Amino acid sequence: MQGFRDRTQVEDVLALISRRIERLDVEPVALRNTAGRVLGEEIRAGAPVPAFDRAAMDGYALQGHETKDATVRTPALFHCIGEARPGHLCNLTVGPGETIQITTGSALPRGADTVVRVESTQREGPMVRVLEATAVGRHVGRIGEDIEAETVVLSAGRVLRPQDLGVLSAVGAGTVAVVRQSRVAVISTGDELITAGHLPSAYQIADMNSGMLEALIVRDGGVPRIVGPLPDDRDRIRAEIAEAARWADVVLISGGTSTGPEDHIPGIVAELGELVIHGVALRPAGPAGLGFIGRTAVVLLPGNPVSCLCAYDFFAGPIVRLQGGRPRNWPYRPMSLPLSRPLVSIAGRVDYARVKVEQGQVEPLATSGASILSSTTRADGFVVVPSELDGYPANALVTVWLYDLFPPSG
Ligand code: AMP
Ligand code: MG
């Protein structure tokens, strides 16, 4: 078994990703299916919202200046000539000494400029007594007060929230151009693997990577399709990779990515397309790689589950997010905290160290083996030790990338 002769630095892999990975095209999607999708175009309001002046209160529409001396003792008297209801055209015009009973949301009738609240009035047959001076324009929602015509309501790149769908409805959008989601094939390989959901017998292990990768891809806005687990059968794996490269935007392959006799993946990718990177100065994901088959990106993820997660976090995740028009940055929350004890690393490679956060201090987890996926379950997050450092001393302030969106307890 031969090792890697040279390992590419993490920053060079990331630079290659920036150069080679492009945002996917936009596709039209019905408005109601766009929550969580990335807007592909700027949206402008074609018309003002609301498109008419409207009552903001239940009461009486009239000419506000006529109420200027009104008090409880000296009410101003108006003749009610009709009513205005939301969604109905009121064809009356309010003249001097006249008023129209109006409900919230109704278009303000012609001639009126003010709404007096119903609480400030007394009604007697056709007559309305106004008991309170009401300034001109009071309780009227102006045309365009919500959204002025021609303003940009949402910019391209926006990850649409439920309330954005409301605003898009208001400006008349029925179909929205959103960035196509990255289609991601997940192929885990290894003779020892069985599909998750069964307890493995002797010499077998459950495929831990497919389920984890599927969830990561969904989190990053991609659409995963699980192809494996596949046995270490070169022809079979080659055929599945070739097939996946036809429909997928990214193919993720876990296992068989190193330099041993059963590590078929690098050779297959080189045959089908180009293997640009094989071997990265990153612990615990040294046997990672990156290539292309046609326009499809292929990421080689080491089979060890922690290595697989690490390689996804560093390389696959940014690709899925960039293709989908999302920020390439980690979707983890950074927190700056002191180390409880030294964090040892080796200069020349990047380290992905799982840590716990206890009482405001960062505790490196003793188990650093790449096969111990439960170390990531016990961890609150990870610290990245850059290639030029051989670690951090106790009490050094480090950035913890929290796996959860919520602060850890303890
Ligand atoms: P490989 O990268 O194929 O050399 O695998 C390295 C180690 O990771 C071996 O101990 C494999 O059994 C283990 N492994 C590979 N793929 C998976 C997987 N999908 N789930 C859990 N462990 C795996
Ligand atoms: Mg293997």
Side-chain angles (χ1 to χ4, degrees):
M1 187 190 275
Q2 70 191 73
F4 289 95
R5 243 172 282 135
D6 313 293
R7 291 175 190 259
T8 309
Q9 289 296 322
V10 167
E11 59 188 312
D12 295 331
V13 187
L14 298 180
L16 176 80
I17 288 172
S18 299
R19 275 201 312 278
R20 296 283 301 260
I21 301 299
E22 288 172 10
R23 201 201 74 175
L24 299 169
D25 289 337
V26 299
E27 61 182 356
V29 169
L31 175 65
R32 64 167 201 284
N33 296 326
T34 58
R37 297 291 300 269
V38 177
L39 194 57
E41 59 178 3
E42 178 181 272
I43 303 283
R44 283 174 187 269
V49 180
F52 50 88
D53 290 345
R54 63 182 172 185
M57 285 281 195
D58 292 344
Y60 288 90
L62 42 65
Q63 295 176 5
H65 71 92
E66 294 193 294
T67 70
K68 80 175 181 334
D69 299 322
T71 66
V72 175
R73 289 219 200 103
T74 60
L77 212 57
F78 293 85
H79 183 226
C80 184
I81 58 168
E83 54 182 32
R85 296 282 173 265
H88 296 273
L89 184 66
C90 173
N91 248 333
L92 303 167
T93 301
V94 178
E98 290 178 342
T99 188
I100 285 178
Q101 193 193 10
I102 196 163
T103 13
T104 306
S106 311
L108 200 67
R110 263 191 315 275
D113 55 21
T114 305
V115 174
V116 176
R117 295 180 308 151
V118 69
E119 296 89 330
S120 309
T121 64
Q122 279 173 351
R123 180 78 187 255
E124 246 182 63
M127 300 311 288
V128 178
R129 267 197 285 272
V130 171
L131 313 173
E132 185 182 60
T134 306
V136 172
R138 273 299 268 155
H139 308 312
V140 175
R142 288 290 165 205
I143 180 169
E145 78 167 354
D146 199 340
I147 302 165
E148 278 179 46
E150 291 314 316
T151 48
V152 173
V153 288
L154 293 169
S155 303
R158 167 87 166 194
V159 180
L160 293 172
R161 301 171 174 165
Q163 56 266 46
D164 295 338
L165 274 57
V167 167
L168 289 168
S169 306
V171 301
T175 304
V176 183
V178 293
V179 180
R180 188 163 72 66
Q181 292 175 283
S182 175
R183 291 187 283 253
V184 189
V186 175
I187 305 178
S188 66
T189 66
D191 278 341
E192 70 280 31
L193 301 180
I194 60 161
T195 303
H198 310 277
L199 273 182
S201 57
Y203 68 81
Q204 295 180 317
I205 59 166
D207 174 8
M208 297 155 82
N209 293 343
S210 289
M212 175 178 72
L213 291 169
E214 185 173 21
L216 289 163
I217 293 159
V218 168
R219 179 200 67 188
D220 289 339
V223 181
R225 194 195 294 176
I226 305 302
V227 176
L230 301 180
D232 289 310
D233 167 344
R234 195 179 198 282
D235 294 340
R236 171 94 194 277
I237 295 174
R238 189 181 193 279
E240 293 287 0
I241 293 176
E243 166 60 20
R246 278 193 269 278
W247 58 263
D249 300 299
V250 190
V251 179
L252 303 185
I253 306 159
S254 105
T257 68
S258 196
T259 57
E262 288 293 285
D263 292 321
H264 302 305
I265 312 300
I268 292 172
V269 175
E271 277 169 31
L272 295 173
E274 46 169 340
L275 180 66
V276 186
I277 285 162
H278 186 215
V280 182
L282 171 64
R283 197 182 72 156
L290 179 60
F292 295 88
I293 300 174
R295 293 173 56 87
T296 301
V298 182
V299 188
L300 280 60
L301 308 167
N304 267 317
V306 180
S307 311
C308 182
L309 174 62
C310 172
Y312 181 91
D313 273 339
F314 271 89
F315 311 126
I319 293 175
V320 173
R321 294 191 294 273
L322 281 172
Q323 287 186 335
R326 292 166 195 272
R328 69 174 293 164
N329 313 351
W330 276 323
Y332 302 123
R333 196 161 59 87
M335 216 176 168
S336 188
L337 292 170
L339 272 172
S340 64
R341 52 192 175 79
L343 180 53
V344 185
S345 167
I346 290 178
R349 69 172 189 217
V350 171
D351 249 77
Y352 174 94
R354 278 81 65 214
V355 299
K356 269 197 88 60
V357 175
E358 301 274 13
Q359 281 149 12
Q361 288 205 310
V362 180
E363 177 91 14
L365 282 178
T367 317
S368 53
S371 57
I372 311 299
L373 186 60
S374 62
S375 71
T376 60
T377 315
R378 282 198 303 282
D380 295 310
F382 58 91
V383 170
V384 175
V385 187
S387 168
E388 60 275 13
L389 297 185
D390 58 5
Y392 291 109
N395 298 320
L397 265 189
V398 293
T399 300
V400 183
W401 297 92
L402 295 169
Y403 285 128
D404 300 313
L405 295 174
F406 301 100
S409 53

Short mmCIF file of all heavy atoms in Angstrom, two decimals, residues 337-341 353-366 375 377-383 400 402 408-410:
data_model
loop_
_atom_site.label_atom_id
_atom_site.label_comp_id
_atom_site.label_asym_id
_atom_site.label_seq_id
_atom_site.Cartn_x
_atom_site.Cartn_y
_atom_site.Cartn_z
N LEU A 337 -14.05 31.46 22.26
CA LEU A 337 -13.96 31.06 23.67
C LEU A 337 -12.54 30.56 23.96
O LEU A 337 -11.83 30.12 23.06
CB LEU A 337 -14.95 29.92 23.95
CG LEU A 337 -16.46 30.25 23.91
CD1 LEU A 337 -17.27 28.97 23.96
CD2 LEU A 337 -16.83 31.18 25.04
N PRO A 338 -12.14 30.59 25.25
CA PRO A 338 -10.79 30.11 25.60
C PRO A 338 -10.73 28.58 25.72
O PRO A 338 -11.70 27.95 26.10
CB PRO A 338 -10.54 30.76 26.97
CG PRO A 338 -11.90 30.97 27.55
CD PRO A 338 -12.85 31.19 26.39
N LEU A 339 -9.56 28.04 25.41
CA LEU A 339 -9.33 26.59 25.52
C LEU A 339 -9.05 26.21 26.97
O LEU A 339 -8.29 26.90 27.65
CB LEU A 339 -8.11 26.21 24.69
CG LEU A 339 -8.28 25.87 23.23
CD1 LEU A 339 -6.91 25.73 22.58
CD2 LEU A 339 -9.09 24.59 23.05
N SER A 340 -9.63 25.11 27.42
CA SER A 340 -9.38 24.67 28.80
C SER A 340 -8.00 24.00 28.91
O SER A 340 -7.40 23.99 29.97
CB SER A 340 -10.46 23.70 29.25
OG SER A 340 -10.41 22.54 28.46
N ARG A 341 -7.54 23.38 27.83
CA ARG A 341 -6.18 22.79 27.82
C ARG A 341 -5.63 22.87 26.40
O ARG A 341 -6.35 23.23 25.47
CB ARG A 341 -6.22 21.36 28.36
CG ARG A 341 -7.22 20.45 27.71
CD ARG A 341 -7.36 19.16 28.53
NE ARG A 341 -8.41 18.32 27.99
CZ ARG A 341 -8.29 17.55 26.93
NH1 ARG A 341 -7.15 17.52 26.27
NH2 ARG A 341 -9.30 16.82 26.51
N ALA A 353 -10.80 19.65 14.83
CA ALA A 353 -10.80 19.06 16.18
C ALA A 353 -12.17 19.21 16.81
O ALA A 353 -12.69 20.32 16.96
CB ALA A 353 -9.74 19.75 17.04
N ARG A 354 -12.77 18.06 17.18
CA ARG A 354 -14.06 18.10 17.86
C ARG A 354 -13.87 18.54 19.30
O ARG A 354 -12.92 18.10 19.97
CB ARG A 354 -14.74 16.73 17.81
CG ARG A 354 -15.47 16.46 16.51
CD ARG A 354 -14.54 15.98 15.41
NE ARG A 354 -13.96 14.70 15.72
CZ ARG A 354 -12.73 14.33 15.37
NH1 ARG A 354 -11.94 15.16 14.69
NH2 ARG A 354 -12.26 13.15 15.69
N VAL A 355 -14.77 19.40 19.75
CA VAL A 355 -14.63 19.96 21.10
C VAL A 355 -15.99 20.01 21.80
O VAL A 355 -17.04 20.00 21.16
CB VAL A 355 -14.05 21.40 21.06
CG1 VAL A 355 -12.66 21.42 20.44
CG2 VAL A 355 -14.99 22.35 20.31
N LYS A 356 -15.91 20.07 23.13
CA LYS A 356 -17.10 20.35 23.93
C LYS A 356 -16.97 21.76 24.48
O LYS A 356 -15.86 22.26 24.66
CB LYS A 356 -17.18 19.38 25.12
CG LYS A 356 -17.97 18.13 24.81
CD LYS A 356 -18.39 17.39 26.07
CE LYS A 356 -19.72 17.88 26.60
NZ LYS A 356 -20.84 17.73 25.67
N VAL A 357 -18.09 22.38 24.76
CA VAL A 357 -18.06 23.67 25.42
C VAL A 357 -18.61 23.46 26.83
O VAL A 357 -19.75 23.00 26.99
CB VAL A 357 -18.91 24.71 24.67
CG1 VAL A 357 -18.96 26.03 25.44
CG2 VAL A 357 -18.35 24.95 23.27
N GLU A 358 -17.74 23.66 27.84
CA GLU A 358 -18.15 23.48 29.24
C GLU A 358 -17.85 24.76 29.99
O GLU A 358 -16.70 25.20 29.99
CB GLU A 358 -17.35 22.39 29.95
CG GLU A 358 -17.36 21.03 29.43
CD GLU A 358 -18.40 20.03 29.78
OE1 GLU A 358 -19.44 20.37 30.35
OE2 GLU A 358 -18.16 18.88 29.44
N GLN A 359 -18.87 25.30 30.61
CA GLN A 359 -18.71 26.51 31.42
C GLN A 359 -17.87 27.57 30.71
O GLN A 359 -16.89 28.09 31.25
CB GLN A 359 -18.09 26.15 32.77
CG GLN A 359 -19.14 25.57 33.71
CD GLN A 359 -18.58 24.55 34.67
OE1 GLN A 359 -17.37 24.41 34.80
NE2 GLN A 359 -19.46 23.83 35.33
N GLY A 360 -18.24 27.84 29.48
CA GLY A 360 -17.59 28.92 28.75
C GLY A 360 -16.19 28.61 28.30
O GLY A 360 -15.47 29.49 27.83
N GLN A 361 -15.76 27.32 28.44
CA GLN A 361 -14.41 26.95 27.99
C GLN A 361 -14.49 25.84 26.96
O GLN A 361 -15.44 25.05 26.95
CB GLN A 361 -13.60 26.46 29.19
CG GLN A 361 -13.20 27.58 30.13
CD GLN A 361 -11.96 27.19 30.90
OE1 GLN A 361 -11.92 26.11 31.47
NE2 GLN A 361 -10.97 28.06 30.91
N VAL A 362 -13.49 25.81 26.11
CA VAL A 362 -13.46 24.83 25.03
C VAL A 362 -12.61 23.64 25.44
O VAL A 362 -11.43 23.80 25.76
CB VAL A 362 -12.88 25.47 23.75
CG1 VAL A 362 -12.85 24.45 22.62
CG2 VAL A 362 -13.69 26.68 23.36
N GLU A 363 -13.24 22.47 25.42
CA GLU A 363 -12.58 21.24 25.88
C GLU A 363 -12.35 20.34 24.67
O GLU A 363 -13.31 19.80 24.11
CB GLU A 363 -13.54 20.57 26.87
CG GLU A 363 -13.12 19.26 27.43
CD GLU A 363 -12.33 19.44 28.72
OE1 GLU A 363 -12.38 20.56 29.28
OE2 GLU A 363 -11.70 18.48 29.12
N PRO A 364 -11.08 20.15 24.24
CA PRO A 364 -10.85 19.22 23.12
C PRO A 364 -11.26 17.81 23.54
O PRO A 364 -11.01 17.40 24.66
CB PRO A 364 -9.34 19.30 22.90
CG PRO A 364 -8.90 20.56 23.58
CD PRO A 364 -9.84 20.78 24.72
N LEU A 365 -11.94 17.09 22.65
CA LEU A 365 -12.35 15.72 22.99
C LEU A 365 -11.16 14.79 22.82
O LEU A 365 -10.44 14.85 21.83
CB LEU A 365 -13.51 15.29 22.11
CG LEU A 365 -14.87 15.86 22.52
CD1 LEU A 365 -15.95 15.42 21.56
CD2 LEU A 365 -15.22 15.45 23.94
N ALA A 366 -10.98 13.91 23.82
CA ALA A 366 -9.81 13.04 23.84
C ALA A 366 -9.81 12.12 22.62
O ALA A 366 -8.78 11.91 21.99
CB ALA A 366 -9.79 12.24 25.12
N SER A 375 -17.87 10.69 18.48
CA SER A 375 -17.15 11.88 18.97
C SER A 375 -17.81 13.16 18.46
O SER A 375 -17.78 14.18 19.11
CB SER A 375 -15.67 11.85 18.56
OG SER A 375 -15.52 12.07 17.17
N THR A 377 -21.03 13.36 17.99
CA THR A 377 -22.31 13.46 18.69
C THR A 377 -22.08 14.01 20.09
O THR A 377 -22.89 14.80 20.59
CB THR A 377 -22.97 12.07 18.75
OG1 THR A 377 -22.85 11.46 17.48
CG2 THR A 377 -24.43 12.15 19.13
N ARG A 378 -20.96 13.61 20.69
CA ARG A 378 -20.61 14.17 22.01
C ARG A 378 -20.14 15.62 21.89
O ARG A 378 -20.27 16.39 22.82
CB ARG A 378 -19.48 13.36 22.65
CG ARG A 378 -19.94 12.05 23.26
CD ARG A 378 -18.89 11.51 24.24
NE ARG A 378 -17.58 11.33 23.65
CZ ARG A 378 -17.25 10.29 22.88
NH1 ARG A 378 -18.15 9.36 22.62
NH2 ARG A 378 -16.04 10.17 22.36
N ALA A 379 -19.59 15.98 20.75
CA ALA A 379 -19.03 17.33 20.58
C ALA A 379 -20.14 18.36 20.41
O ALA A 379 -21.21 18.06 19.92
CB ALA A 379 -18.13 17.36 19.35
N ASP A 380 -19.84 19.58 20.85
CA ASP A 380 -20.75 20.69 20.58
C ASP A 380 -20.40 21.35 19.25
O ASP A 380 -21.21 22.02 18.65
CB ASP A 380 -20.65 21.73 21.70
CG ASP A 380 -21.13 21.18 23.02
OD1 ASP A 380 -22.24 20.60 23.06
OD2 ASP A 380 -20.40 21.28 24.02
N GLY A 381 -19.15 21.15 18.85
CA GLY A 381 -18.71 21.78 17.61
C GLY A 381 -17.27 21.39 17.32
O GLY A 381 -16.76 20.42 17.88
N PHE A 382 -16.63 22.15 16.45
CA PHE A 382 -15.24 21.85 16.12
C PHE A 382 -14.43 23.13 16.05
O PHE A 382 -14.97 24.22 15.89
CB PHE A 382 -15.14 21.07 14.80
CG PHE A 382 -15.74 21.79 13.61
CD1 PHE A 382 -14.96 22.63 12.82
CD2 PHE A 382 -17.09 21.64 13.29
CE1 PHE A 382 -15.50 23.30 11.72
CE2 PHE A 382 -17.63 22.31 12.19
CZ PHE A 382 -16.84 23.13 11.41
N VAL A 383 -13.12 22.94 16.25
CA VAL A 383 -12.17 24.05 16.11
C VAL A 383 -11.26 23.69 14.95
O VAL A 383 -10.84 22.54 14.82
CB VAL A 383 -11.34 24.21 17.41
CG1 VAL A 383 -10.18 25.18 17.21
CG2 VAL A 383 -12.24 24.68 18.56
N VAL A 400 -14.99 28.36 17.95
CA VAL A 400 -15.70 27.07 17.90
C VAL A 400 -16.84 27.23 16.89
O VAL A 400 -17.60 28.19 16.95
CB VAL A 400 -16.33 26.70 19.26
CG1 VAL A 400 -16.99 25.33 19.20
CG2 VAL A 400 -15.30 26.74 20.36
N LEU A 402 -20.22 25.86 16.05
CA LEU A 402 -21.20 25.04 16.77
C LEU A 402 -22.06 24.24 15.79
O LEU A 402 -22.65 24.81 14.86
CB LEU A 402 -22.09 25.94 17.63
CG LEU A 402 -21.35 26.67 18.75
CD1 LEU A 402 -22.24 27.74 19.37
CD2 LEU A 402 -20.86 25.69 19.81
N PRO A 408 -24.72 25.70 23.38
CA PRO A 408 -24.67 24.46 24.15
C PRO A 408 -24.99 24.73 25.62
O PRO A 408 -24.73 25.82 26.12
CB PRO A 408 -23.22 24.01 23.99
CG PRO A 408 -22.48 25.26 23.67
CD PRO A 408 -23.42 26.14 22.92
N SER A 409 -25.54 23.76 26.28
CA SER A 409 -25.82 23.91 27.71
C SER A 409 -24.53 23.62 28.49
O SER A 409 -23.60 23.03 27.96
CB SER A 409 -26.91 22.94 28.12
OG SER A 409 -26.55 21.65 27.70
N GLY A 410 -24.50 24.00 29.75
CA GLY A 410 -23.36 23.69 30.61
C GLY A 410 -22.33 24.78 30.63
O GLY A 410 -22.40 25.76 29.91
#
